[in-house]
Amino acid sequence: PSHPSLSKPPFSSPALALKGNNGSSTAQDEGHVDWAGSYRFAPISEAQVSRAMIKRYFSDMYDRAVSDIVIVGAGSAGLSCAYELAKRAPEKKITILEAGVAPGGGAWLGGQLMSAMVVRKPAHLFLLEIGVPFEDEGGYVVVRHAALFTSTLLSKVLSFPNVRLFNATAVEDLIVRPDPLDAGRQRVGGVVTNWTLVSLNHDTQSCMDPNTITAPVVVAATGHDGPMGAFCAKRLVSNGMIEKLGDMRCLDMMRAEPAIVNRTREVQPGLIMTGMELSEHDGSNRMGPTFGAMMASGVKAAHEALRVLER
Ligand code: AHZ
């Protein structure tokens, strides 16, 4: 389906954004700032600031209540998936939900709070694709700072007009219905959301009901078990769709990375799983501080999502 909202131009050009209420422009507006003189801002009212945010946030929420693909979790796997999807399917509404205030998951650092990020070949092709420089060490490459990878990927993902990211928003549940294509089976048809600060207070306040986003494809990318992690995998168990979790096995880089990529798939109708959440679902090894599998798994999840959408 085509979505008219996707074809609208961006809100305003940078040049217009610098003009005052009356639209007048000055030398400073055109970018000639006299740094030795007095720096002047275009006038604005508090209400304009509030409305500028509210209008866009709630119009995005209104629009994305029906999405084509929802990605749960904006770590390295979820963001790699979002990039590939946004590039390959510019007409699809891709909505990313991230429980944390800061998207990026564990990919702001390499390992043990150190900066460098190791990526085994051939996953470095994704770094070439998004334009992140690296040092070539033969069978693997090293990005000087993991934050360069995450910030570059994030900026590219957010620049696509068909992507919306709602951070500080947790997925609290899945929408699951009888599968119209296969009687007797159930399929995932969207997610149940709440602002994360609300989710974290369900045991301190009386019922604070959630919101929903429907989508024919949901990509689970919530990482391995933790305060929030492996969310969709755990919910499949408590909903009776799988008997139990496989549980992430001990670290073995050689086994872990191909397992995650090769097992990236539609684990339940309408639900694709990628990244370290899969290790909990399937019981595969952890790989520790090497990130190539997250990129390759995310890209593969994007291809799986498009295949499911075409079905
Ligand atoms: O905040 C979480 C993180 O940013 C987010 N998330 C988790 N539960 C959520 C929920 N709703 C919305 N219910 C949620 N968001 O999901 C993101 C997961 O990112 P991650 O970096 O933890 O996972 P990943 O699979 O993208 O990357 C894993 C990186 C790892 S862990 C590891 C090891 O421990 O051995 N090795 C690697 C490479």
Side-chain angles (χ1 to χ4, degrees):
S2 80
H3 299 285
S5 61
L6 295 181
S7 55
K8 279 187 198 156
F11 291 111
S12 62
S13 72
L16 286 175
L18 280 170
K19 286 184 180 166
N21 277 343
N22 60 8
S24 65
S25 96
T26 66
Q28 179 171 302
D29 295 336
E30 304 305 331
H32 306 293
V33 176
D34 173 12
W35 289 105
S38 158
Y39 191 98
R40 287 180 303 105
F41 283 98
I44 199 164
S45 72
E46 287 76 12
Q48 281 178 304
V49 176
S50 298
R51 286 175 171 165
M53 295 184 292
I54 293 165
K55 183 169 78 177
R56 287 162 179 82
Y57 191 84
F58 287 99
S59 112
D60 282 349
M61 262 181 120
Y62 182 91
D63 182 48
R64 295 313 172 100
V66 180
S67 296
D68 292 310
I69 299 153
V70 167
I71 299 173
V72 189
S76 44
L79 288 174
S80 301
C81 177
Y83 174 86
E84 186 72 7
L85 273 173
K87 187 179 125 184
R88 297 219 168 250
E91 77 291 359
K92 300 292 184 210
K93 293 201 284 185
I94 299 154
T95 303
I96 311 171
L97 299 167
E98 167 51 52
V101 170
W108 290 108
L109 289 163
Q112 198 168 335
L113 307 188
M114 291 178 283
S115 318
M117 174 185 261
V118 174
V119 177
R120 281 165 73 193
K121 290 181 179 176
H124 72 299
L125 294 174
F126 189 69
L127 299 175
L128 289 171
E129 161 77 23
I130 63 172
V132 171
F134 52 74
E135 291 160 34
D136 195 326
E137 300 276 2
Y140 65 95
V141 304
V142 183
V143 181
R144 271 262 147 188
H145 203 303
L148 179 58
F149 163 75
T150 299
S151 58
T152 304
L153 179 56
L154 194 53
S155 75
K156 297 227 179 260
V157 165
L158 291 177
S159 301
F160 283 107
N162 54 335
V163 171
R164 292 289 180 280
L165 164 68
F166 296 97
N167 37 342
T169 303
V171 168
E172 286 194 344
D173 206 346
L174 299 171
I175 299 174
V176 175
R177 325 175 191 285
D179 188 348
L181 298 176
D182 186 348
R185 278 212 306 183
Q186 304 192 84
R187 79 167 278 123
V188 173
V191 292
V192 177
T193 65
N194 225 324
W195 283 307
T196 303
L197 291 178
V198 173
S199 287
L200 292 173
N201 277 285
H202 282 309
D203 54 352
T204 67
Q205 304 289 319
S206 56
C207 183
M208 297 178 285
D209 271 321
N211 193 15
T212 62
I213 299 180
T214 52
V217 180
V218 174
V219 178
T222 70
H224 62 65
D225 202 2
M228 296 268 189
F231 177 82
C232 302
K234 289 188 211 162
R235 194 65 178 106
L236 294 180
V237 177
S238 55
N239 195 48
M241 294 167 88
I242 56 175
E243 199 184 321
K244 60 185 179 68
L245 291 181
D247 289 334
M248 185 172 68
R249 300 302 154 99
C250 292
L251 189 149
D252 179 349
M253 288 181 184
M254 288 296 284
R255 272 191 288 173
E257 289 210 274
I260 292 293
V261 180
N262 293 327
R263 290 176 175 178
T264 299
R265 66 194 185 284
E266 189 183 22
V267 293
Q268 292 289 325
L271 184 71
I272 288 154
M273 200 168 279
T274 178
M276 284 310 279
E277 184 161 7
L278 265 173
S279 70
E280 301 285 4
H281 184 276
D282 293 345
S284 59
N285 297 88
R286 86 188 292 190
M287 75 287 296
T290 169
F291 282 80
M294 298 302 110
M295 299 165 202
S297 169
V299 170
K300 185 174 173 190
H303 291 262
E304 289 290 292
L306 294 176
R307 194 181 53 72
V308 171
L309 274 182
E310 277 162 20
R311 201 162 54 202

